[in-house]
Structure formats: C-alpha cells, structure tokens
C-alpha cells in the first residue's frame, strides 16, 4: 500500500542468515524487467548514514575499550579534530545520556566522541574484519566515517557486517 514518489525511485534489500552467512534474499531494485541490469543490493555503494555508527563507533569502543551500552556520553557542542563543528540531525543537544540512548536517538556528537576514543588502527581493524572497506585518505580514515559519510557500501556489505552482531561476533 506504500505510494512511491515516482517510478524512478529505487530501493534494494539484502537478507543474510546470521547462523551460517548465506544470502537468504536479495531485492535488486524496483521495476526490474531485464536480466543483468544494475543490482542495487550488490553493485552500488552509498553513504550508510547512521547505520555506520555501530560499526565505526560503538562496536569498536565496546570491543577495544570495554565500554558497555550504559557508558555515559555527553551530547553537547563538539568539534571534529580540525575544529569544524558537528551537529545532530535536529540541531539540538540532549546532554548526558548512555551510549545506548545516544545510538537509539541517532545522536551524531556522541558517535564522533566514541570514534575519537579509538585509534585509527582499531577502527580499521574492526571495520575491515566486518567486510567494510573504509575510505582511506593520506593513509588515514576521515572522521566523517563516524556518522556514515564516506564513499559507501552496498546493502549486501552492510547486512553482512551487521550479521556479526546477530551471531555473537
């Protein structure tokens, strides 16, 4: 019953069995009428946005720094290392909260703060072990990875990365 804006809007999906890693389903796109056409689930890379936060920020700080989901973080004015301000989606701050609440509310500032607690090597190791290829510039990751703003991943790559959370690592 969903009404799409137009016939050009695309959507894709990928489903993996977290128990054995097999692909359970692929939705290649809308209105696919030809064989071997572009598969939006496997052949494109897009910015993952906030879905990157568990992979680049919270997963690694739990793994390497023993954070719990109850770790206290502060959602307040904050900057990138170069001094540029980072904002939340609502241009507001929510103050002291748990990492769990910050992730659930998709707060950008606590995500970047978590990212800053890690070394570049820890982040690279964590994400590449999940099958994600981060964007490397001059030998390092840029901080926008913390909120999913990089060259991107396919839906299949993201679901495969998330499968590690579903199967206990």
């Amino acid at each position: 019953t969903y009404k799409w804006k137009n016939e050009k809007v695309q959507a894709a999906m990928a489903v993996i069995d977290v128990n054995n890693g097999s692909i359970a389903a692929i939705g290649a796109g809308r209105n696919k009428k030809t064989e071997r056409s572009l598969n939006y689930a496997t052949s494109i890379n897009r910015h993952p946005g906030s879905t990157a936060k568990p992979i680049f920020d919270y997963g690694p700080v739990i793994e390497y720094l023993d954070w719990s989901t109850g770790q206290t973080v502060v959602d307040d004015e904050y900057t990138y290392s170069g001094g540029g301000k980072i904002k939340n989606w609502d241009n507001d701050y929510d103050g002291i909260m748990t990492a769990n609440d910050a992730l659930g509310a998709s707060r950008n500032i606590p995500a970047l703060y978590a990212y800053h607690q890690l070394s570049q090597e820890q982040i690279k190791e964590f994400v590449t072990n999940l099958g994600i290829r981060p964007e490397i510039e001059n030998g390092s990751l840029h901080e926008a990875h913390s909120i999913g703003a990089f060259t991107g991943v396919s839906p299949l790559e993201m679901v495969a990365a998330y499968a590690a959370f579903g199967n206990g690592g």
Side-chain angles (χ1 to χ4, degrees):
T1 62
Y2 182 79
K3 299 289 185 194
W4 293 90
K5 179 179 176 179
N6 60 46
E7 292 303 308
K8 293 181 182 180
V9 173
Q10 284 295 326
M13 64 109 190
V15 178
I16 287 185
D17 182 329
V18 298
N19 296 310
N20 62 27
S22 66
I23 297 172
I26 292 283
R30 294 182 57 232
N31 305 318
K32 294 288 186 173
K33 295 178 176 56
T34 60
E35 291 182 31
R36 298 181 185 234
S37 61
L38 181 65
N39 184 321
Y40 289 95
T42 62
S43 301
I44 63 162
N45 287 331
R46 295 290 186 262
H47 294 224
S50 292
T51 64
K53 291 172 184 172
I55 295 169
F56 283 90
D57 311 322
Y58 298 108
V61 293
I62 289 169
E63 177 77 16
Y64 298 117
L65 303 181
D66 296 322
W67 276 28
S68 73
T69 57
Q71 174 74 34
T72 302
V73 294
V74 178
D75 182 24
D76 202 352
E77 288 188 30
Y78 197 67
T79 63
Y80 288 102
S81 296
K85 283 194 170 193
I86 182 172
K87 295 182 178 182
N88 289 309
W89 58 269
D90 60 358
N91 293 316
D92 201 3
Y93 308 108
D94 287 347
I96 298 170
M97 60 179 52
T98 65
N100 184 64
D101 290 339
L103 178 59
S106 196
R107 308 308 289 172
N108 291 339
I109 293 165
L112 178 60
Y113 173 79
Y115 183 94
H116 280 160
Q117 304 316 298
L118 300 155
S119 71
Q120 290 275 305
E121 292 73 29
Q122 290 170 320
I123 298 167
K124 286 179 196 174
E125 179 180 15
F126 192 86
V127 302
T128 56
N129 283 344
L130 293 176
I132 302 296
R133 295 176 314 275
E135 182 179 336
I136 308 293
E137 294 177 353
N138 300 322
S140 64
L141 297 168
H142 58 80
E143 295 168 299
H145 281 83
S146 67
I147 58 171
F150 63 100
T151 49
V153 296
S154 73
L156 183 59
E157 290 169 324
M158 281 303 279
V159 75
Y162 267 91
F165 296 113
N167 67 21

